[in-house]
Amino acid sequence: MFETIQKLAPDPILGLTAAYEQDSNPRKIDLGAGVYKDESGVTPIFEAVKMAEDLWHQRENSKVYIAQAGYPECNSAMLAHMFGAEHPALKAGRLRSVLTPGGCGAVRLGAELINRARPGGTIWVSSPTWANHVPLLSNAGLKIREYPYYDGKSHAIDFEAMLAALEKVPAEDAVLLHGCCHNPTGADLSREQWDAVTETAVRRGFLPFIDVAYHGLGDGLDEDAYGPRHMAEKVNELVVAYSCSKNFGLYRERAGAVMVMGRDATAADAGLSHLVNIARGIYSMAPAHGAAIVKLILNDPALYQVWVNELNAMRERINRLRALLADTLARKNAPVDFSFIRQQRGLFSLLGLDKAQVQRLREEFSIYMVDSSRVNIAGISPKNVDYLADSIIAVL
Ligand code: LMR
């Protein structure tokens, strides 16, 4: 059976972690996979998660299957968390949620739902987008096209080109947007730009599909939710993929949700019925443990506060590290202006290096980043920033 298949190259992002771990250089730096790390390079478990797990350990009295869509109290809490409890679409009963194995599970189910409605349909993704969007969307059967997004020369969004491309997207297509903390560029739409994209979506009639993988890690929980909340007020239909990997630190637990907004409650129910049916045909039903933790945190005001404080501290640290790297490079007279790193948001920025420079950093300096020169800002620390800046300057 398997004589015909050949060994594949490692995953362009996840493969870096394995390579980094095998490197014996004591100065090595891992700026690869997008996971938060503290000063000592550890990805910590949130205190709020530990507290919720202790509670859950006492409360859980069975391992029998949960509802197909996952815990109802988790789905409702996540919808309120994403859109705001008073959101008109929520009040009108137009939103449904299905808990998924992480944000990837959510993107895949959302893509499968679009493919059910429009087999072999087209989804537009930003250029560039997260590398794994491509297999997640195309393996569901969708065709992928790109809209211009980031201009590598100015290190900013080319909004004019983006909007001009969206103006031509047919009504039957879907458009993938990043809710906040754009991966890999760190360049986010402003409120005015979200308003303009929303206006285009309404006029053109395409389906917005928003990937929210870093909620709270950009400017704050409400600030980062502006795009999805605004769109949900204006468009008829919407899909959101939500990840709890980064903002709850639940990476390996695979917690997330796919949310669908229909024209009315009947349409939303139809969407929900397909989502659970699609999941049933792939992995059967929603995973429980990570979702139980999220459910407890979102529904308990004291736990919620502990979590928010931790999330705020993480975000503030990421933004301090952004400033630290930009300042260090400037202080060392880097021949390139890296001040854009300070302005961008979330875990990622593109340094603007070419593949050969990225390779030199890996091979000569043991500094690991994605080939596109995407760096995980959380991998920087006051201890390694000088070595990092010197090494970047050395390959420029
Ligand atoms: C990343 O972009 O590095 C993260 O989202 C981890 C992953 O699964 O690729």
Side-chain angles (χ1 to χ4, degrees), residues 147-162:
Y147 59 85
Y149 186 77
Y150 186 73
D151 172 25
K153 288 205 182 67
S154 61
H155 304 284
I157 299 172
D158 184 350
F159 191 64
E160 218 174 290
M162 174 185 180

Side-chain angles (χ1 to χ4, degrees), residues 103-165:
C104 284
V107 173
R108 180 62 186 264
L109 282 200
E112 295 274 353
L113 180 66
I114 295 166
N115 198 57
R116 279 266 169 105
R118 224 168 265 287
T122 297
I123 184 156
W124 295 72
V125 301
S126 60
S127 174
T129 194
W130 178 43
N132 206 37
H133 276 147
V134 177
L136 284 171
L137 299 167
S138 58
N139 289 350
L142 299 177
K143 289 188 202 71
I144 297 187
R145 293 193 64 182
E146 287 189 336
Y147 59 85
Y149 186 77
Y150 186 73
D151 172 25
K153 288 205 182 67
S154 61
H155 304 284
I157 299 172
D158 184 350
F159 191 64
E160 218 174 290
M162 174 185 180
L163 209 57

Side-chain angles (χ1 to χ4, degrees), residues 11-14 16-17 31-35 104 130-132 183-184 213-214 243 245-246 251 254 347-348 370 374 376:
D11 181 88
I13 295 176
L14 303 181
L16 290 172
T17 312
L31 306 176
V35 298
C104 284
W130 178 43
N132 206 37
N183 183 1
Y214 300 89
S243 172
S245 297
K246 323 285 156 72
Y251 308 86
R254 313 310 296 135
L347 287 183
F348 309 115
V370 182
R374 186 197 81 169
N376 172 16

Side-chain angles (χ1 to χ4, degrees), residues 14-69:
L14 303 181
L16 290 172
T17 312
Y20 169 82
E21 269 158 18
Q22 275 165 19
D23 192 325
S24 57
N25 183 347
R27 305 192 84 178
K28 66 182 177 178
I29 306 178
D30 179 13
L31 306 176
V35 298
Y36 180 78
K37 291 177 205 177
D38 65 16
E39 214 81 328
S40 51
V42 172
T43 301
I45 303 177
F46 279 62
E47 208 40 53
V49 166
K50 279 279 185 209
M51 290 161 77
E53 277 183 323
D54 283 348
L55 275 177
W56 191 239
H57 196 59
Q58 291 156 28
R59 283 190 201 166
E60 191 180 36
N61 58 6
S62 174
K63 293 287 187 191
V64 76
Y65 300 121
I66 55 172
Q68 261 187 290

